[in-house]
Amino acid sequence: MEPIPTRRLGESGLQAGAIGLGCMGMSWAYGPSRVDDAQSTEVIRSAPGLGVTLIDTADMYGPFINEELVGRALEPIRDEVTLATKCGLVVDDAVSFQMHRDGSPDHVREAIDASLKRLRTDRVELYQLHRVDPDVPVEETWGAMAEQVAAGKARAIGMSEATVDELTRAHAIHPVASLQSEFSLWTREPLSDVIPWCREHGAAFIPFAPLGRGFLTGAIKSTADLGGDDDFRARNPRFSAEAVDANQAIVAEVRAVAERLDATAAQVALAWVLAQYEHLVPIPGTTKLHRLEENAGSARLTLVREDLERLDSLPAAAGDRY
Ligand SMILES: NC(=O)c1ccc[n+]([C@@H]2O[C@H](COP(=O)([O-])OP(=O)(O)OC[C@H]3O[C@@H](n4cnc5c(N)ncnc54)[C@H](OP(=O)(O)O)[C@@H]3O)[C@@H](O)[C@H]2O)c1
């Protein structure tokens, strides 16, 4: 398969294939039964050959073991990827997914060194603040993030799930290269505020969970398709039994568009995301090589106006996302 087209990550000077790879689910969130390091290593190592070059992880996935996995997997191909990790969330209890925010400058300084060690590299292309800490002025946290660019440990810095106000305050100190927030056919709020902000300020937008944590692919027909109590989604209102039932109506529409295009529901969900902003690179997560290939294929799928209109008018999702 020919590598997929690349996109510029805003004005940061970075670029990456139009579809990236989120590595979280390889080690965290979807239940231990889905963890297979050998298979995940194969997925990561196959990504650049397909043009999937934005590789996303975070120190809190696991915690720490996802960065270790990514570091080992990338060792022979480090220069072929645009590597992104995150700091600012600290796991208190991995079993119950309890965590707290830490935006203190000292935490940022320590976290990047630890991440680089686990990732077996001397720099990341993108260092992201996972969440803004309400107890620390964002200017202080962002100042410490900017120090990492000056030190050569990060090429650019980005935020995650930040508001327009937080983006604006941070950008006044050092350019915000990217914003990573949840965005998909069933989570469209970013279209009304943060995506326009990114467009106006030369920032890339990195949609996380672009497949609705797997739901938009049609793979989850009932809560029995989740990974049991260890699956983060089981705690999520949008994945309650009632919401899963109600939200099948969304999948049915996505499937209908996919059938017309001879594509899969996952490809249609990703193609809709790609159509919303040219400096946007979604990072679908998968632990399976055939799905990596399928998801990359969405970069070649063109939705015509009629498809976009049909998808734009999908019903709102039942259940809050958190
Ligand atoms: N910044 C943040 O706060 C934040 C929060 C959450 C996630 N993220 C990032 O975003 C990335 C993606 O999010 P996500 O993994 O939560 O959700 P997602 O990409 O929306 O969905 C991933 C799920 O979909 C399944 N899947 C993937 N491709 C598929 C296909 N073609 N057909 C059927 N099923 C498919 C995967 O299962 P298989 O493994 O079985 O394929 C997995 O269960 C994460 O890996 C992480 O890097 C960031």
Side-chain angles (χ1 to χ4, degrees):
M1 187 170 130
E2 274 278 291
I4 58 172
T6 56
R7 287 185 164 197
R8 280 196 293 126
L9 289 174
E11 303 301 325
S12 66
L14 301 173
Q15 57 172 26
I19 294 288
L21 175 63
C23 297
M24 177 185 79
M26 296 173 179
S27 318
W28 162 264
Y30 295 145
S33 63
R34 296 182 191 230
V35 172
D36 181 335
D37 281 1
Q39 192 175 292
S40 295
T41 300
E42 189 189 9
V43 170
I44 295 169
R45 290 203 178 144
S46 304
L50 298 165
V52 174
T53 53
L54 179 60
I55 307 292
D56 184 75
T57 178
D59 56 1
M60 56 82 66
Y61 297 157
F64 312 125
I65 52 173
N66 190 242
E67 282 191 334
E68 286 166 2
L69 166 73
V70 170
R72 284 193 302 275
L74 286 183
E75 223 166 13
I77 53 165
R78 173 66 186 90
D79 292 336
E80 297 173 39
V81 304
T82 299
L83 179 56
T85 193
K86 315 181 194 82
C87 69
L89 274 180
V90 178
V91 175
D92 301 313
D93 179 28
V95 176
S96 58
F97 299 102
Q98 293 301 310
M99 56 193 94
H100 69 273
R101 300 176 184 203
D102 189 346
S104 62
D106 281 349
H107 176 71
V108 172
R109 293 178 192 121
E110 283 162 24
I112 192 162
D113 287 338
S115 285
L116 293 177
K117 199 167 171 204
R118 287 188 289 270
L119 290 166
R120 303 181 186 210
T121 188
D122 59 0
R123 87 288 172 197
V124 286
E125 279 65 46
L126 189 58
Y127 198 47
Q128 302 159 105
L129 179 61
H130 215 149
R131 292 290 185 276
V132 173
D133 181 345
D135 296 330
V136 178
V138 68
E139 290 80 358
E140 282 182 27
T141 312
W142 201 245
M145 296 285 290
E147 281 171 23
Q148 310 315 317
V149 179
K153 296 178 188 177
R155 283 272 308 278
I157 50 177
M159 303 185 93
S160 174
E161 293 261 307
T163 62
V164 163
D165 176 58
E166 290 160 350
L167 289 163
T168 305
R169 286 167 57 194
H171 198 67
I173 289 176
H174 184 96
V176 176
S178 62
L179 175 68
Q180 181 176 137
S181 292
E182 182 167 356
F183 181 55
S184 68
L185 278 168
W186 75 354
T187 303
R188 298 159 185 236
E189 291 81 356
L191 279 175
S192 64
D193 52 12
V194 289
I195 290 180
W197 188 92
C198 288
R199 200 185 290 280
E200 281 160 32
H201 294 85
F205 186 70
I206 301 177
F208 79 69
L211 297 170
R213 303 184 192 273
F215 188 86
L216 298 167
T217 69
I220 298 161
K221 296 184 183 60
S222 78
T223 51
D225 294 322
L226 302 177
D229 287 346
D230 296 325
D231 190 325
F232 167 78
R233 292 170 294 189
R235 297 154 195 269
N236 205 301
R238 203 167 275 185
F239 286 89
S240 70
E242 304 74 46
V244 166
D245 268 359
N247 290 327
Q248 296 302 326
I250 296 178
V251 176
E253 278 293 287
V254 181
R255 277 222 172 99
V257 174
E259 259 166 45
R260 199 188 74 71
L261 295 166
D262 199 17
T264 66
Q267 289 175 324
V268 167
L270 293 172
W272 178 86
V273 167
L274 284 171
Q276 307 303 314
Y277 175 38
E278 69 179 295
H279 300 296
L280 162 164
V281 174
I283 45 168
T286 185
T287 53
K288 301 181 177 64
L289 186 55
H290 69 97
R291 287 180 173 166
L292 176 75
E293 290 166 354
E294 176 185 335
N295 296 344
S298 66
R300 295 206 175 77
L301 185 66
T302 306
L303 301 177
V304 297
R305 205 178 62 188
E306 171 196 345
D307 303 319
L308 288 167
E309 281 171 4
R310 190 163 178 184
L311 295 166
D312 285 344
S313 50
L314 284 174
D320 290 340
R321 63 192 186 97
Y322 283 116

